[in-house]
Amino acid sequence: MDTSTERYQREVAVGALTVRASRLRVADRGLCFGRIDATDGRRAYIGRVGLFDEQNDYTPLLVDWRAPVARPFYCATAVNPEGVARRRHFHTRGRDLVEFHDDLFGMEGHDSALVAALNAPRGDTMSDIVATIQAEQDEAIRLDPGGVVVIEGGPGTGKTAVALHRVAYLLYTQRKRLSRWSVLVVGPNRGFLRYIGDVLPSLGETDVVFTALGELMPGLSVTAADPPDTKRVKGSLAMVDVLAAAVADRQAALETPYEIELDDGSVWLDQDTATVARDRARATGLPHNQAQGVFREAVIDVLTRRVVERIGGDWLRPGEVDGLIEDLTADVRFELAGNAGLRAAVDELWPLLTPERLLADLFSSRTRLACAVHDEDDRAALYRPVGDAWTVSDVPLLDEAAEFLGAYPVRRRERDGVEYARRVMRMLELDREEQDEEFVLRAEDLLDPESLAERHDERDHRELAERAAADREWTYGHVVVDEAQELSEMDWRIIMRRCPSRSMTIVGDLAQRRSPAGAVSWATMIDRYVPGRWTYRELTICYRTPAEIMRLASAVLAEVNPILRPPVPVRRNGIEPWTRLVDPAGLAAAIDEATRVPDGGSVAVIGPDGLDVGRAILTPGQAKGLEFDTVVLVEPQRILAARPHGAADLYVALTRATQRLGLLHTEPLPAVLENAARERATIA
């Protein structure tokens, strides 16, 4: 039979081989995608991972794209060739080389490989851009690993891909540190995470936790959203004080004294006793649940002194030995400590609370809300009936509540471990019964189940990412936040709590902000945590949306914020957006016709919330971060009219297409689109 050490060594070896195999699987995506020939005659092949000739002094066979020597592959231009004489791109299909071509550096920063990639059909998941990274993107990817980096860019600038490639770059350059603490990638929803989930594995990186905002509390997977006003209130930093008040409201609010029955009479737990005990417990600074023990001991102290004074005054005479008082005190304390009535009183005056119970009790009680929230409108926004589902905006509040409350006394893992130990000891006992009892030492003669569980707390063999995702108190070596403009002040607290080192890549676009609790500026959110110590980079070139579509989107952007600049499209494709006014009864048929694209590719229908056309459609919020070859946008006027984020939603919807955009409407087009279409016709 294998020993535990041998099993552990075998599991470690299997784990190492699994990681190595996952990294080598990138060969199926085209292991080598390029070559650079230097002016001094040196040559280097560039690929998704590095390979070395182990039989020849580890001579590099393939250079990892993240290595410094690979940087000219992305940054060399005709104006600044960086010592490169030729840059060659390989086009592969699986492990087969289909074709290759050499760059002539005719377009600064934009080569034929890039144009081919931009015109390629989109799939169900995001592809890596490692073969076509541009100089502007490469600079952001390779920024110094320390501190907070904000990468802002309009639709199609590749900001999400840049952030993911930055993770791969940091895992390459900071492997020792990040392999211990893992990396957290936070996205707006699970659909978005599925879309981007293949990028890092395609680059050989698997030790990364992908999670949505509604999943940042282990055990929860929340997708429901609050109405705008409720979202605004819950997202405000003022909720920290609300939660503190809600916890304080559950501490020793005594209305009616408790009678505690003892063997020699009764003693009353009154308001004065509860107040003394409450003040002593709060003075420790312990979280609420841990402070219950202090509160209980303080109550016992006061009641013991009261009982001893009453009993001792009846039968102790002056000059009696002090030891009698000590004995009486000990007896009374012992009786109070085991008194069921006192335990029940303590549990009611200072209840052990989970974050879920604290928030559910608060939001479902107008009385509790009145104690914690001063503004009447805010109370109305927060109130909800018992049993309503959690929302995404509740998750940071639950996390904040966990900080105030502390751990529930019995953790599930500890309880399960002890129960397992009890079963083991029972098996040993049954085995002993079959032997000569006189010569067998019993397990319980040596240790109890709790001690056995502690001694047998073996190493956790789960993957690093799995362990990190299951632990609320896990702190990450680096955190990536996508669609960060949507995060509220409370969201930022939970994010910062996950990364004390403040090593972060924050990605977003203020022009696409939908949430009333989101960022108006990056400084308002970030300076609170790293004042003046964060780096900002803007991506200005749009690689997704052709110029014909971007002209419409730019007109809408001016409605969102006239100061914001649209990204500059890198290409034209000659396909103008079309519009079609249809009868409401024929809308479904018109959508079916518009989505039949002759040359295939991915197609999406985007429309306003609540639109019923007999088929699944995406709302602008669901489409955010995604891209499709063809987009059919339905009822743009209804999207624009949805306040307070209608203009931002319309901007998002207009910028999802990589090739074709069509607008179907039963109502007149928004004036901003009508004017842009008229201007386009005049120019043509």
Side-chain angles (χ1 to χ4, degrees), residues 16 44 180:
R180 180 181 179 186

Side-chain angles (χ1 to χ4, degrees), residues 127-146:
S127 300
D128 68 62
I129 60 169
V130 66
T132 56
I133 291 172
Q134 300 301 291
E136 179 184 62
Q137 298 170 324
D138 186 75
E139 192 267 343
I141 289 170
R142 297 174 191 265
L143 283 170
D144 185 82

Side-chain angles (χ1 to χ4, degrees), residues 410-425 448-454:
V410 180
R411 294 186 178 183
R412 181 176 180 180
R413 182 177 177 185
E414 295 171 352
R415 184 174 67 245
D416 291 348
V418 172
E419 181 58 32
Y420 173 76
R422 286 198 179 97
R423 292 199 299 269
V424 170
M425 294 183 70
D448 55 24
E450 287 76 11
S451 300
L452 179 60
E454 183 178 350

Side-chain angles (χ1 to χ4, degrees), residues 527-581:
D527 273 343
R528 182 177 292 110
Y529 304 99
V530 284
R533 294 183 288 109
W534 50 281
T535 303
Y536 176 84
R537 288 293 184 274
E538 183 181 12
L539 302 178
T540 60
I541 300 172
C542 176
Y543 302 100
R544 174 202 299 148
T545 310
E548 292 84 352
I549 297 175
M550 201 65 209
R551 188 182 298 114
L552 285 181
S554 298
V556 174
L557 179 61
E559 294 284 312
V560 177
N561 188 335
I563 299 176
L564 297 175
R565 297 178 302 169
V568 179
V570 75
R571 66 192 171 105
R572 300 179 61 89
N573 67 355
I575 306 174
E576 292 289 346
W578 55 264
T579 65
R580 186 181 304 159
L581 177 66

Side-chain angles (χ1 to χ4, degrees), residues 428-541:
L428 292 174
E429 180 66 16
L430 292 173
D431 184 58
R432 182 189 68 81
E433 292 173 357
E434 299 177 0
Q435 304 178 46
D436 189 342
E437 293 189 16
E438 183 178 354
F439 300 103
V440 177
L441 189 66
R442 295 181 302 169
E444 57 267 34
D445 292 333
L446 299 177
L447 74 171
D448 55 24
E450 287 76 11
S451 300
L452 179 60
E454 183 178 350
R455 295 186 185 187
H456 263 280
D457 185 15
E458 296 183 359
R459 295 178 64 92
D460 192 336
H461 298 308
R462 291 175 298 173
E463 294 291 332
L464 177 68
E466 186 180 359
R467 286 188 283 123
D471 187 352
R472 191 193 77 85
E473 297 182 354
W474 189 280
T475 56
Y476 292 86
H478 191 79
V479 171
V480 175
V481 183
D482 207 335
E483 300 292 348
Q485 74 278 353
E486 305 295 347
L487 269 63
S488 69
E489 292 175 323
M490 291 303 297
D491 289 326
W492 281 113
R493 284 180 68 85
I494 189 173
I495 294 294
M496 292 295 176
R497 198 172 285 133
R498 299 296 187 269
C499 190
S501 68
R502 303 294 190 258
S503 177
M504 296 182 174
T505 300
I506 295 169
V507 182
D509 179 13
L510 295 178
Q512 298 185 58
R513 178 177 67 89
R514 302 179 73 245
S515 172
V520 178
S521 73
W522 298 117
T524 57
M525 293 298 188
I526 300 172
D527 273 343
R528 182 177 292 110
Y529 304 99
V530 284
R533 294 183 288 109
W534 50 281
T535 303
Y536 176 84
R537 288 293 184 274
E538 183 181 12
L539 302 178
T540 60
I541 300 172

Side-chain angles (χ1 to χ4, degrees), residues 37-190:
D37 299 347
T39 54
D40 60 6
R42 290 181 298 172
R43 174 179 294 175
Y45 289 89
I46 313 300
R48 286 178 165 79
V49 296
L51 295 178
F52 301 89
D53 186 350
E54 297 181 5
Q55 307 300 321
N56 186 20
D57 296 329
Y58 287 88
T59 302
L61 299 175
L62 187 65
V63 175
D64 192 299
W65 68 274
R66 295 163 286 196
V69 71
R71 191 173 186 277
F73 182 82
Y74 303 110
C75 299
T77 67
V79 176
N80 183 21
E82 298 198 12
V84 176
R86 174 187 297 174
R87 174 170 56 194
R88 174 164 291 179
H89 296 270
F90 299 117
H91 179 204
T92 60
R93 184 174 295 116
R95 302 191 181 193
D96 296 327
L97 177 63
V98 177
E99 62 179 352
F100 69 89
H101 69 271
D102 295 336
D103 282 338
L104 301 178
F105 298 104
M107 295 174 61
E108 182 176 346
H110 314 300
D111 52 48
S112 53
L114 172 64
V115 174
L118 296 179
N119 288 321
R122 267 36 178 194
D124 294 332
T125 59
M126 176 184 283
S127 300
D128 68 62
I129 60 169
V130 66
T132 56
I133 291 172
Q134 300 301 291
E136 179 184 62
Q137 298 170 324
D138 186 75
E139 192 267 343
I141 289 170
R142 297 174 191 265
L143 283 170
D144 185 82
V148 175
V149 172
V150 176
I151 300 175
E152 182 165 26
T157 55
K159 55 186 178 295
T160 297
V162 166
L164 295 174
H165 286 70
R166 177 165 164 77
V167 169
Y169 174 74
L170 294 177
L171 285 167
Y172 177 79
T173 58
Q174 305 282 313
R175 175 74 62 187
K176 185 175 181 180
R177 178 177 67 88
L178 295 182
S179 63
R180 180 181 179 186
W181 299 111
S182 189
V183 173
L184 175 67
V185 176
V186 181
N189 54 60
R190 181 49 56 180

Side-chain angles (χ1 to χ4, degrees), residues 607-630:
D609 289 337
L611 180 64
D612 184 7
V613 290
R615 61 177 293 164
I617 65 172
L618 295 174
T619 65
Q622 293 168 334
K624 184 179 286 190
L626 308 181
E627 58 182 29
F628 310 91
D629 297 297
T630 298

